[in-house]
Amino acid sequence: AVIRREDYQPPDWLVPDIALDFDLDPATTRVTAVLDVVRSSAHGRPLRLDGDGQVPTKVLVDGNPHNDWRMDGDTLEIDLPGSEHRIETEVAIHPDRNTQLMGLYASGGNLCTQCEAEGFRRITFFPDRPDVLARYSVRMTADRKRFPVLLANGDPIASGDAEDGRHWAEWRDPFPKPCYLFALVAGDLSANRATFTTMSGREVQLGIWVRAADLPKTEHALAALQTAMAWDERVYGREYDLDVFNIVAVDDFNFGAMENKGLNIFNSRYILADPDTATDADYDAIAAVVAHEYFHNWSGNRVTCRDWFQLSLKEGFTVFRDQGFSADQGSAAVKRIEDVRTLRAAQFPEDAGPLAHPIRPDSYMEISNFYTATIYNKGAEVIRMMATILGPDSFRASTDLYFDRYDGTAATCDDFVRCMEFGSGIDLTQFRHWYSQAGTPRVSAALDHDAGSGRATLRLAQRTAPTPGQPDKEPFVLPLKLKLFGGETGAALSNEQLFMLDRPTADITFDGVTERPVLSINRGFSAPVIIESDRSSADLKFLSAHDDDPFARYEAMQQLMLDTLVAAVTLGRADHEPVIDAVRRTLEDPALDRAFAAEAVLLPSDSFVGDQLEMVDPEAVFRAREALRRDLGKHLAGLWRSAYANASQAGTFVYSPAAKAARRMRSVALGYIAASGAEDAADVAFAQFEAADNMTDRQGALTTLVNGKSDKRIAALDIFYNRYSGDALVLDKWFQTQALSMRDDTPQVVADLARHPDFSLANPNRARSLVGAFGVNQRAFHMAGGAGYRFLADHLIALDKLNPQTAAKLLPPLGRWRRFDPARATLMKAELERILATPGLSKDLFEQASKSLEG
Ligand code: ARG
Ligand code: ZN
């Protein structure tokens, strides 16, 4: 069944209060729910409560046993005479059989919940929709030995002993919330505790709950939480509102983390870190996700979503907020580069493929399939554009207005945009197309110069290709930051200006341009678009050395590299010299931040190069990229060696921006030393692997070895495996590094790893580390013959039986068939058809596969 945004109806019944009583046990948990229900208007419709597979073992209405209820599929329906009633239901659920990891489930011997989007109905009968806000009281009883810690949302109220070695605890959350924010945890956990004093002087008890043995790995997450709490007060004026804030880490989790009110539950990969097991990227991701979930307390919890079509209201905005937080912790330029890279790797392909959807979709079959890069990352770009258009003061005034006006309510994307308008006086009518239209706009930019009159004319045009269900697009509002530089002197010929391209075409004139101008456009990636310019490689080289906007400078280098690689693939030959020269200058520029330089000299990924082509030839892309890497490695051998040596003087491990930059440069340089084919490359890598006092250096060296031809990779993989055999998160890296290898034998290695005793589809992190990573390895996945496609389909079919959500997330690589030659496309479609023909297929996988086939 397809759910449509236009069909939204307010709830028939409200539930101001709910009391839940859990008799917890992994095999069978009894859940009693007492709902105070109120008829929302003068209608005669029955009360309908969502469930998922259960039948109530008991129903009471106003305290009396009630037999006049019926099941309409999974929905419990009760006719009620009046407008206010108290409904009590009891169900029995089975956490240890819950492999979907939605609702109440077991992980590592503990019990935990995940309710967003529609998991609460797997726990008890309730109107499972985000616009029904209730105050929750929760009582839990469980075996004291197995489950010494009992946590739920809000504040702890009371606890005590029960019979037979059991104990109980009561929690109450004073803030009305939708049921997707409900959480409880029962387990054998220890807390790393601290306090935070809010700006109005309230002391909050913080706790990060993990297995006792993992406590030493929680310092970074705890510090990040405190930093994030202070940042949200300073930057958005948002203060925390309960007396306690708990985070629990679990090993089995369908995604990153969850912002349950006062009780965030995290995938342990976004909490646990120490230098020996976590890379710098892991440290950064932990801080970002801790901040993200914390920021949801206002953007998501205090102000929630009216319906799931509004998901980007909380996710796009919260990603924008966490990006701002991370940018303030280190290099803002590098953070922007990383965020754009993520957008291009995950969202642009989505927007160009069969699963394209606007950031506010019009329909869905399964909402879990819409927790996408479009909703999250493009959603964040849309908020960023409004922030750019409004300017910082108006934007802050507008977010204040939004939080103030919608506090305690379930709002819409349009409510948010209206606040931006009220707060700034700017009309965003046309801007709203960003919410309704899918697809990435392409902007062509051509700059003419008339030396005689000193006039330069920039001709801009935008167009957006059709996406499924949207053949024609209205022009978007594109805030484009522009600047001109003199091609001879290098001087700035204009100030940076913000140009709003809101029509299909526009000309901009610049006067007094006395020398040949070079265009710097979409500076800071001010709009999430694809720029098509006719800039020569000389101009791109110039910008890569002189542009004063770091993102634009990075971008010029990327464009130069892309142009070179696309030429190599399509024409069969390319001049590597401009890229080599530009990279040389970047490495030699003493004024340049090392963190930035390390990112700027990296080639675009295989798949991003593939995305530029009419038809992807994965082997040709791989060969072109390897050839350019080899030339860069060889021609700049001395520079890579000295960059490597300089970066190696960092001393013992510290997590600081400067030390991170050094480690990053070291692994980038090592990659180029290996790419050059230098005889000693494997020795250098192996030495680094053995000497490393941190995971960044160790994994960087391992990656280099695993991509190379030397047998040292076997030794390194064994050492790594044995050293970390008890550490699931590090073993995930072991699987993932091999699944991402560019070696010829990767498909075979991956097939073997799928039979490794440590491989399991039941754990989402492990499934993603092998099956997910392989699917995005363009060369390996698309190797001729279709073995990769068969491998992915086999595993999706198997995983679907356990965990449909996680299976559906891994399907999109098969949906890229239109981008490949007929032989590959036929094989890919055959696998999609095989998936669709599987008996008992989930709604999740059905939606993804059927749309990917037809879209
Ligand atoms: N709200 C969570 C977050 O972004 C993610 C929940 C994901 N839910 C899902 N069904 N995929 O922080
Ligand atoms: Zn989120």
Side-chain angles (χ1 to χ4, degrees), residues 5-69:
R5 182 166 60 88
E6 65 194 15
D7 292 343
Y8 173 82
Q9 294 291 335
D12 280 345
W13 291 85
L14 304 177
V15 187
D17 287 282
I18 175 173
L20 287 162
D21 192 342
F22 290 85
D23 193 359
L24 290 166
D25 184 83
T28 298
T29 288
R30 292 197 181 278
V31 186
T32 307
V34 179
L35 282 61
D36 287 339
V37 302
V38 177
R39 200 180 293 268
S40 66
S41 63
H43 66 75
R45 289 182 289 276
L47 174 69
R48 288 172 58 83
L49 302 174
D50 298 301
D52 186 1
Q54 330 83 317
V55 170
T57 48
K58 189 165 83 183
V59 177
L60 304 184
V61 174
D62 299 323
N64 304 312
H66 187 89
N67 292 318
D68 195 17
W69 52 267

Side-chain angles (χ1 to χ4, degrees), residues 116 257 259 292-293 296 299 314-316 318-319 322 371 376:
E116 187 178 4
E259 69 264 23
H292 178 100
E293 305 309 332
H296 268 315
S299 49
K314 74 179 178 80
E315 295 303 346
T318 305
V319 170
D322 82 54
Y371 286 73
Y376 277 67

